[in-house]
Structures are given as structure tokens and as C-alpha cells.
Amino acid sequence: MRISQLFLPTLREVPAEAEVISHQLLLRAGFIRKAAAGVYTFLPLAWRVIRKIEQIIREEMDRQGGQEIMMPIIQPAELWQESGRWDVYGPELFRLKDRHGRDFCLGPTHEEIITALVRQEIRSYRQLPQLLYQIQNKYRDERRPRFGLLRGREFIMKDLYSFDRDEAGLEVSYQKMYEAYTRVFTRCGLKFRPVEADSGAIGGNDTHEFMVLADSGEALVVFCPDESCGYAANVERATSPVQRDTVEEETSQPLKLVDTPGMHTVEQVTAYLGLNARRIIKTILYQTEKGVVAALVRGDRDVNEVKLQKVLDVLRLELADAPTVEKITGARVGYAGPVGLQNVRLVADDEVMLLVNAVAGANRDDAHLVNVNPGRDFVPHMVADIRVVRAGDPCPKCGALLRETRGIEVGQIFKLGDKYSRALGATYLDERGQSRPMIMGCYGIGVTRTMAAAVEQNHDEDGIIWPVSIAPFHVVVIPVNHKDEQQMNLAEEIYQELQAGGVEVVLDDRAERAGVKFKDADLVGYPMRITVGNQAVQTGELELRYRATREMQLVSREQIAGHIREYIDRAVRVL
Amino acid sequence: MRISQLFLPTLREVPAEAEVISHQLLLRAGFIRKAAAGVYTFLPLAWRVIRKIEQIIREEMDRQGGQEIMMPIIQPAELWQESGRWDVYGPELFRLKDRHGRDFCLGPTHEEIITALVRQEIRSYRQLPQLLYQIQNKYRDERRPRFGLLRGREFIMKDLYSFDRDEAGLEVSYQKMYEAYTRVFTRCGLKFRPVEADSGAIGGNDTHEFMVLADSGEALVVFCPDESCGYAANVERATSPVQRDTVEEETSQPLKLVDTPGMHTVEQVTAYLGLNARRIIKTILYQTEKGVVAALVRGDRDVNEVKLQKVLDVLRLELADAPTVEKITGARVGYAGPVGLQNVRLVADDEVMLLVNAVAGANRDDAHLVNVNPGRDFVPHMVADIRVVRAGDPCPKCGALLRETRGIEVGQIFKLGDKYSRALGATYLDERGQSRPMIMGCYGIGVTRTMAAAVEQNHDEDGIIWPVSIAPFHVVVIPVNHKDEQQMNLAEEIYQELQAGGVEVVLDDRAERAGVKFKDADLVGYPMRITVGNQAVQTGELELRYRATREMQLVSREQIAGHIREYIDRAVRVL
């Protein structure tokens, strides 16, 4: 392709609307344009990247026995009513009516459609397992779409659904997808990590997220540095054993009320009383649909709301507002404590129960209790792991100290079990002629999100650095002086030769200064750049520059095509 | 792929819901399943066909300099309000609101989105022309979705938009697309015909439809048998010169009222009065938003409502109801005539004006006028070509007698001109620095419709007969006796060998009788079938059967792969 003809509108300025680097760079480098909030048009270069990611996904799904199909985007409400999700899905579901007033939604996911399809067609254990997938636009009406492609309202996903006879079959399908996902992101040239995750509202038990590692990632991940252990988890889900050895041996002392005028944060109380935050019992009140709950964690800890919601089995969990706190505790916000607290469920983190002579709010303005002893001074309704695990906590598998990293979730695999097959009646006859629900799994990859995550992970101050396997083009050829006929001819020759050799190459034939072309080349992020200047014309030596390392190399005219072909083949080869 | 694992649910019975053959066969052969009225899931075989059609389209668009992009399916109402189409598009447009109450629609077409994109990015004549396309789901809320994929509510289309400096540039883009479309349908292995067509509501002037020829086609096409002439047109648009030589030389006679009791059809009147229908002036009353119109055509002709609507420049055109006819004519339906008719616009077909001593309704019950002479007895407000052209009429280009055929419209190319670029302000600066609107064209191919049209054109009583280039698989290998180990092994060997040689092959490894497998193979429509029976095991001669011709051939074990490879290469080669 000649850049003079390519629809590639690069921008000099960073667009004001773009908060994150992938959004900025994909706009600036001419990959995407906004059509509405959270809704984008993919320009030619982006579409090439997306199609490469899709093809890698397709090959790896097929390798595991996946069969590609295409389900509708507009889904009839009836199926969602059958599964029970029509009423609970909330405002993130785009809903519409047809001309006859029938309800539809734009699919955010396809459990209902695929289960209704399979229940019609699969009768016997002989027809199982089935792995069916599609690559398609998905819809989610985010309250606040942002971060460009990372949180859009229309985005491309691959979703695969597995149907097995039993849990053992599901385990096999799940492992196949785990392997497929690992291969997909490896082939995309990304640094990533599969982590244990929370299954959230979709239901099911086991689930892993595939995280592309990037400092800008929204998700916090803890992982074990011991590679032979391999534990890694989203902090929403991560656990860590309680550290009993850090508990001081101490005799419990009598409960005492102390004045703490104006001291309503952990920091203020610890400074005022001269003690470590680990001695504090932090008491946080939440509003749920089952009433108010008080969550207790150590003063140096945070409440993990995902875990808390799960142990409470509630759909709604929000911090209680000040009037509620005042009504329940009889004190201003900042002085809540578990001792004598009425009309709430007390949920204590395991660590809290090990404290001796701790400090807690007194449920009185400007006062705390010291020498609080759990079990003696209050008895929680529930003791559970409700704290946020962090770097330095011990690994739950091997005890080594966990580390933290940030990531962008690009894929997730779920064991759904029989949730949807029971709701929609997707059964089969087993070897003995008995009807049983199929056991399902579902497996998603955010295709457009993967593109954005690749940029978040691979860029520098000049622009994007595409991994070779998903780069929109492999090489850009730049004649230094567009008025120099010899340079233009040589550049054209090399362009033609590379193209004939199957290299994806663009020729920057624009009537622009070399500096502009170099800047654009760095911004767009072609893995290789060939500069054709006077030296090239005179000596036949071409300057080849690698975007990732900024290394330059002189390669002879005769060897350039072979050299580049070899580099690409090495980078994209499938193991 | 092994059929035992393929998601390929064939049906024995013709589904009651399916009215047309493509719908019946695509359901029965396990290609599609309905998810809602006019909304389908494409199963693995259909998806393979669709992806092949898409790839052919993609290659031909790229060959002409097209660049693939992907625009959103959900489109903000603002752009449709800017173009003026939000209010006029009617109930076929699926509309929805997001959580903030903002209006969106599901794109039936993308003129607004693409024009808004291009106006932002293209500034100079140097950046033109641009040919941008996408292949994507489209939406149309049909009042009565039917005929399976031929009239669905969600369907896949390729839409390309061209942007040129001027009409001359548009002509070049238009010709490129004409060629690309010709190549696409040729490569798909279809018999088709490009025909002149009416541009309808989308606006613009020149337009051609690409018709896949099939007796079941909804569209009627007239064409010139002289191939060097090449005239072909949708009857909605077809013209034909008035045949002056068929007018009898006659002297006009005085107007006379005759009784025609109960004679209210052309057939009745011609029989009763003993004359040819060509002597009758048929008068049809229409209701329009500009009042009632009387259309006059010869008694042997039909009114072409598309032409009539165009010459009248009205949005609404419906047959007037009986009370309206009675009020206007003062007579029952069947006795309307042009003489003395008040309060309507009279539009006469050219042919009517050549009649001498014609017969027309008298605007009185049970009476007609004879010796009606246009010009003398009535003067129409407008004379125009408003008749339906038919086989036997002369070709407007060469005079040869036209023939008729039926077709399914699978593609259409339009010259839009500056309709959208003016409405949305898509301008560029020309060589002299003057701002001018870009000149646009738009070009669509119905991808899923092409699949259905291929089936309408290529089937027999046993099932589908896929053209090789778009067949879901090229070959099916059928072991006759699944309990015979030697047959199964040989079939497996051949399957492996063909697959290794790049042939798309399925092995029917099911524990079914050979008859069931043969029936399914014919139903699905694989172009070739290899039968592995006892003879094959003993002699090494394999029975190769071609689906299209039902020809059988014995090919040796050694030659089978090369033989098949050659057949495929010949069928799918790109000229």
C-alpha cells in the first residue's frame, strides 16, 4: 500500500478526550475514530490488526476442536426471561422493541441463544462434547464509557461455549481453552498472566482471567515469585493464609474507653494513641438488600468488597451513608466499632479474630475502646476472609511472599456447570437412556480490548511498538527526499520486491519532509523501517531500523528481502 | 472434519415455516436455525460458505483499491437528523435509546457515518479518491420477514462508499465497482446479470442491480437477446420505444356513449364490444399525498408504479379505494375514463396518445365511450412512459425483441452524487483552493443473500449443489459399511491424504447406513463424493461422484488426490 492513498489520518496533538495511552495513540496514529461515546470506527490499520488477532484466535479455537458459527446480535427477550436474566441484567443491557412491540436486546453475551440452539439439536451423549464459538460485536451500555477501547459500549469479542456430559468433560474442555488462550496471547506477542479470578454475576465456579501486564492496567494481580508454584490471582479473588506467627503473645486486659477527640481515621487514631495500625479493628458499614452489615478488618487492611458480597450472598453492596451510620452507631462517622453494635450483621475478617487488646471505635463521638478482645467483647455473626491481599502476604500455595503487578483483562474462562442448561432445559440422554443436563463452560476474549492492551504494553514516547504478529504492516519504506528520482525509484523497487515476497509493506510516497515520515512511522509503530537516502543509492546499503529496539543496521540491497522475511517468519512462527 | 463431531443437524422433513427452496434446504441441510422472525444463527457449514463469499468480495474490493474498515452498528440519531433521514426512514429502522435516553438506530446503511468520518479527515483533492468498505451485519425491521435469508431483519452486507472530486471521478469509481461485482459473482460460480435499475429512496441517478438468475426470483428482468447490445433492466426501470408502426391509420369518429351493463374489466369490455384490448384506455386512480391521480395506459398494459411515482415526484402512491373512485367518477369501480374527469391529475402513457377511436370508461355506471381520441376528447396534464415493459417489446438500444427472466438482487451500485456530502458538509479544497462537495457513490452486496441465491439457483430434488468456490467443503468421503475395518481404514487414509493436500474434506465416520450418508451428502451438496466400499478395498479403484452432474467415475487410489486437487484448482482459479 502507498501511504499517499492509505486512509491513515495521523494527528500531531494528543486529543483532549483521551485519558489513557492506548486511546491517545490509537487516535493519533489514525487507527480509530469515535462515532459516539464508547462507539468507534476502526480505520484500515486497526482493522488489519483486529483481523490478525481474530485469525490467531480462530486457528487456536479450531486446533482444540472448536467450530465457528455466528449467532444473532439482536436477541429475543423470551430467552432471557427463560434464563431469568431479563429482569436482573440492569441498565447495561441495550434493549429495544421491534415494529410489533416485541422486546429484544443487543447481546452482551450469548449463553441463552447458544443453549436454546443446542437443546434443539443435541439429543445423545454421542453428540457431546461440542465447542462452538463466534467472533462478533458485543454490547454493554456502560454508565461512563471511557479509556477508548478498554471500556467501550460496542466491542468485538470471541465467545466460545462448551457442552459436556459431566464435570470431568468440562474439566477437559476448560483445560483445552486454558491452553488455547495461552497460545493465543503468546502468538499475539504479549506478556500476560493467567490468574484466578472471581466468577461474578455470570455464575459458575472455577474461572481464570488472562491479564496482559501493563502498569496502566485497571486490575491488580498478586502472584507468587516462585515459578514452580505459579499461583496468581486477581486481588478481587486472591487469598492468603492468616499469619499467626505475627500475633504477639499477650494477656487480655480489661476494656477501656479513651477520648480520641476529632480522631476519626485509622491514621489519626494510631498517631494519637501511639500504636501500629495492625492493632486497630476497622469497622465499615455497608448497606445491602438484606439490611446493614458491619465489616471488620485490621486497621492496616482494606475490605475486599467482592469477597464480602460473596460471603453475604447479596446483589447490592454499597457503603452506608452518614445518616445511616449515625443512626446505627449513635455517633458521627469514624467512631463505629463492633462492641455493643445492634441491628447489624457483624462480619469479621479472620485476622481480626486473632487480635488481642485491640482498639476499635466506641460508637460514641470522639471516643475509642482499647483492649478490645474479639470473642470476649463481641461475637461476629460470621468470620471469613474479607480482606484485600497485597504484596508481601504469603502465597496460599507455597508460603513465599506474594508480589503485585497490574494487568488488563483480555480473556476469561468460566466453568458454568448446569446453570443455563437447567434453566433452559438443555438435556441429553446418557448411555443408560437417562436425561441429564449438559455441563457448560464459556470462554471469552476481548478482541478490540486485546488490541488496546497491546498498545498499553508496547509503546514509548514516540508511539506504538506493534508485536510483529499483529502489526498492521511489517515494514515501512521511506525515501528521504521525495524529489530525488533515484531515491524514489529505489524505494519503489524495494517496495515492489518486498510485496512480491509476501511482506506486508507500505511505501511512504508522500510529498513530505523525511522528518514527518519518520515521526509518523514511529507513531504508527511498524516493526521495521527501511530508509532510502543518498547513501543507499550510492552504495546499495540500506538502513534498516527496528522499532522495538531502535537498533539500526545496514543491509545490502540484495539481502534486504531475505533478511526481513526471515525476521518476520521467526517472529510469527507457530510452535 | 469428521461428521461425527461436526455440528451439522440435518432434518428429514421440510420445515413448515419455509416457503422458498433456499430456506427449506438451508434449514434441512443444517446450515441455519431461526433465533427470531427474520433473525438466524449460522451453523458451521453456513459460516464457512459466508466466509468464502466474504473473502472473494474482500479480494475484489482490494483489487480496485478499496480499503476495509469497520463502522459501528449502533449509530447516533444526530447524524441521521443532519442528513434528514431520521424522520423519513419509517418503521424499517430499528431504533433504541441508551441509558441516558439518547437516540440510536441499528444501521441499515452507513452513508451518514462514513460521510461524517470522511468530512473530518479529508481536506484536499490530493487525498481523493477514497474507496472505503466494510462487511458487517445490517438491520431492517421488515413488516413481514420471510423467505429465510432472502428477506431477513438481520443480515450481512458488504457496503463500499466512494469519494471523488467530481462526476468524472465518480464514473471511474462506478466502473471499478461494476467490474469488481462482475468478478465477485463470477468467482462465486453464479449465473447473474447486471441490470439497469431504479434508484429508489436512497437518491442518486445511475444505478445497476446484480441479479442472480433463478426462476424463483422476486425480480422480473427484461434483457436484449443480442449480446453485443447487452441491454438489461429491472422491469421497474425498463423502457421501450413506442411502436408507431403498430398504430392503424384511421380517421377519428365522433364520440359515442355505449351501454356496457356489468362490464367492468378490460376482458369483459373487449369481449362484449368485440375488440382488441389494445383499443382500450385503462384508467387507474391513485391516491397520493398531492391528491388523486388518474393513470392511463393501453388495455393490454399494466401501470409501472415505480415509474409513475417518479414522474409524479410523490412519496405515497396507493390504489384509490372504492368510495374515492365513486366520488371522483360518479360511477362504480370499473367505469372510470379520462373524458370529462374533474379534480384529478391525468397522466397518460405515451402509447395512449397514439390511439385513435379508442374505448374508455364513461364515468357512468354500466357505460363506456367509444371513439375516444386523446387530444380531442381529453388533454392529459402529463404524458410519460408509465407502462410495464415486457417480453416482446423492442429493446430501447437496438430494437431487437426483449426477453424476460427472473432474478434475485444480490448487489446494487449507485451514483449518489453530492446528496450526502452537501447535507453533512463533506467538502474538500480543489486545485484552486476552492471548497467543493465530494461526489459519492455507494455499492452494496448482500452476503447472506448471495448464499441463499446460490441455493435458489443451484439445487435439485435431493438438495443443494454448491459451486466449488463457495462450497462449505469440497469433498465428502463415505465408507459404505462402518463396521468394515478395511473400508474405515481406507476412508481414513484418503481423508488424511486429501486434508494434508489442502483439500477441504469431511469424513462421514458416523455409525449410520450408507443410504443415510448418501442422502445427507446430496442434501448438504458437497461438490464431490468419494465412496469407499468393498470394490475400493479390493481393486483400489474409488468411486468419485460429482454432485452437479451426478456423473460417476472410477479413479485409482494413487490418482485420487491429484485428480481432486486439479478439479478444485480449475474451478476456483482467479483470472
Side-chain angles (χ1 to χ4, degrees), chain A residues 133 306 539 548:
Chain A
Y133 75 97
V306 173
T539 66

Side-chain angles (χ1 to χ4, degrees), chain B residues 479-494 532-534 536-538 542:
Chain B
V480 173
N481 183 349
H482 66 88
K483 289 176 189 154
D484 183 317
E485 208 177 317
Q486 284 185 300
Q487 288 182 21
M488 291 300 277
N489 287 344
L490 179 54
E492 174 76 29
E493 240 179 66
I494 293 163
V532 181
N534 272 332
V537 170
Q538 280 153 23
L542 299 163

Side-chain angles (χ1 to χ4, degrees), chain B residues 257-265 268-269 272-273 329-336 360-369:
Chain B
L257 187 72
V258 296
D259 284 340
T260 49
M263 308 293 147
H264 54 83
T265 68
Q268 290 166 339
V269 174
Y272 187 74
L273 298 180
T329 65
R332 296 201 309 277
V333 173
Y335 300 95
N363 300 319
R364 277 168 71 161
D365 284 349
D366 301 320
H368 277 73
L369 291 172

Side-chain angles (χ1 to χ4, degrees), chain A residues 38-52:
Chain A
V39 179
Y40 292 87
T41 291
F42 301 104
L43 303 188
L45 292 202
W47 195 239
R48 291 178 69 97
V49 173
I50 289 169
R51 286 186 27 90
K52 287 186 178 188

Side-chain angles (χ1 to χ4, degrees), chain A residues 119-393:
Chain A
R119 76 177 166 192
Q120 278 183 330
E121 310 299 344
I122 299 282
R123 298 264 170 269
S124 155
Y125 69 94
R126 284 193 206 87
Q127 296 167 283
L128 295 175
Q130 287 287 346
L131 305 178
L132 300 169
Y133 75 97
Q134 60 177 356
I135 303 174
Q136 188 196 51
N137 275 13
K138 292 281 186 286
Y139 294 84
R140 182 189 293 216
D141 195 359
E142 293 277 357
R143 180 195 300 271
R144 202 183 151 204
R146 59 198 295 208
F147 306 143
L149 304 186
L150 291 175
R151 202 187 297 164
R153 298 201 285 177
E154 179 179 73
F155 48 93
I156 302 176
M157 273 195 66
K158 182 283 302 178
D159 44 329
L160 183 143
Y161 303 87
S162 66
F163 294 85
D164 278 284
R165 303 179 194 182
D166 50 28
E167 293 288 340
L170 171 58
E171 184 59 35
V172 172
S173 295
Y174 191 85
Q175 286 308 324
K176 282 183 176 178
M177 285 302 113
Y178 190 97
E179 187 191 331
Y181 277 43
T182 301
R183 291 181 59 96
V184 163
F185 297 115
T186 303
R187 287 183 60 188
C188 286
L190 300 174
K191 291 179 281 298
F192 69 97
R193 203 181 263 286
V195 306
E196 293 181 9
D198 184 71
S199 57
I202 202 161
N205 310 310
D206 278 10
T207 174
H208 284 84
E209 287 167 346
F210 285 73
M211 296 283 185
V212 165
L213 304 180
D215 294 340
S216 58
E218 274 195 289
L220 189 63
V221 164
V222 293
F223 64 97
C224 180
D226 181 348
E227 285 190 14
S228 67
C229 165
Y231 178 77
N234 191 318
V235 286
E236 290 181 347
R237 150 84 175 211
T239 60
S240 178
V242 175
Q243 294 163 269
R244 290 178 186 279
D245 54 324
T246 64
V247 179
E248 288 167 44
E249 297 276 335
E250 222 179 297
T251 314
S252 59
Q253 302 291 325
L255 197 63
K256 208 171 78 181
L257 186 72
V258 297
D259 283 343
T260 49
M263 308 291 144
H264 54 85
T265 68
V266 169
E267 291 68 32
Q268 289 166 337
V269 173
T270 50
Y272 187 75
L273 298 179
L275 44 79
N276 192 300
R278 300 169 65 108
R279 300 295 295 262
I280 305 263
I281 298 173
K282 191 153 72 179
T283 306
I284 316 270
L285 269 64
Y286 287 94
Q287 192 68 258
T288 78
E289 78 269 22
K290 296 180 181 169
V292 177
V293 169
L296 312 179
V297 291
R298 241 171 37 190
D300 61 327
R301 290 290 191 180
D302 291 312
V303 175
N304 182 325
E305 295 181 356
V306 173
K307 287 182 183 173
L308 180 61
Q309 191 166 8
K310 203 158 200 174
V311 301
L312 291 172
D313 193 21
V314 293
L315 290 170
R316 208 181 115 218
L317 184 81
E318 288 162 9
L319 278 179
D321 56 13
T324 305
V325 173
E326 283 163 25
K327 194 175 137 221
I328 299 260
T329 65
R332 296 199 311 276
V333 173
Y335 299 95
V339 182
L341 200 59
Q342 303 291 325
N343 300 322
V344 297
R345 290 184 78 198
L346 276 187
V347 184
D349 182 64
D350 311 287
E351 280 181 350
V352 167
M353 299 311 287
L354 297 182
L355 292 176
V356 179
N357 299 332
V359 172
N363 300 320
R364 275 167 75 160
D365 282 350
D366 302 319
H368 277 75
L369 289 171
V370 298
N371 300 330
V372 175
N373 286 286
R376 183 192 74 179
D377 301 323
F378 69 91
V379 179
H381 297 82
M382 193 188 286
V383 176
D385 171 3
I386 58 166
R387 67 194 175 280
V388 176
V389 170
R390 63 195 172 201
D393 284 344

Side-chain angles (χ1 to χ4, degrees), chain B residues 408-424:
Chain B
I408 299 163
E409 185 211 323
V410 288
Q412 188 158 12
I413 59 180
F414 282 108
K415 291 186 184 170
L416 291 174
D418 61 6
K419 172 171 167 158
Y420 293 94
S421 49
R422 272 197 198 278
L424 291 151

Side-chain angles (χ1 to χ4, degrees), chain A residues 5 7 33 42 47 51 58 67-70 72-73 98-100 121 141 143 153-154, chain B residues 5 7 33 41-42 47 51 58 67-70 72-73 98-100 121 141 143 153-154:
Chain A
Q5 287 159 29
F7 192 59
R33 286 295 181 264
F42 301 104
W47 195 239
R51 286 186 27 90
R58 188 171 280 129
Q67 296 181 58
E68 190 172 357
I69 64 175
M70 185 55 74
I73 286 174
D98 73 3
R99 66 195 292 159
H100 304 296
E121 310 299 344
D141 195 359
R143 180 195 300 271
R153 298 201 285 177
E154 179 179 73
Chain B
Q5 287 158 29
F7 191 60
R33 287 294 181 266
T41 290
F42 301 105
W47 194 240
R51 285 182 33 87
R58 188 170 282 130
Q67 297 181 58
E68 189 171 358
I69 63 173
M70 185 55 75
I73 286 175
D98 74 2
R99 65 194 295 158
H100 305 296
E121 311 298 344
D141 195 0
R143 180 195 299 274
R153 299 199 287 176
E154 178 180 73

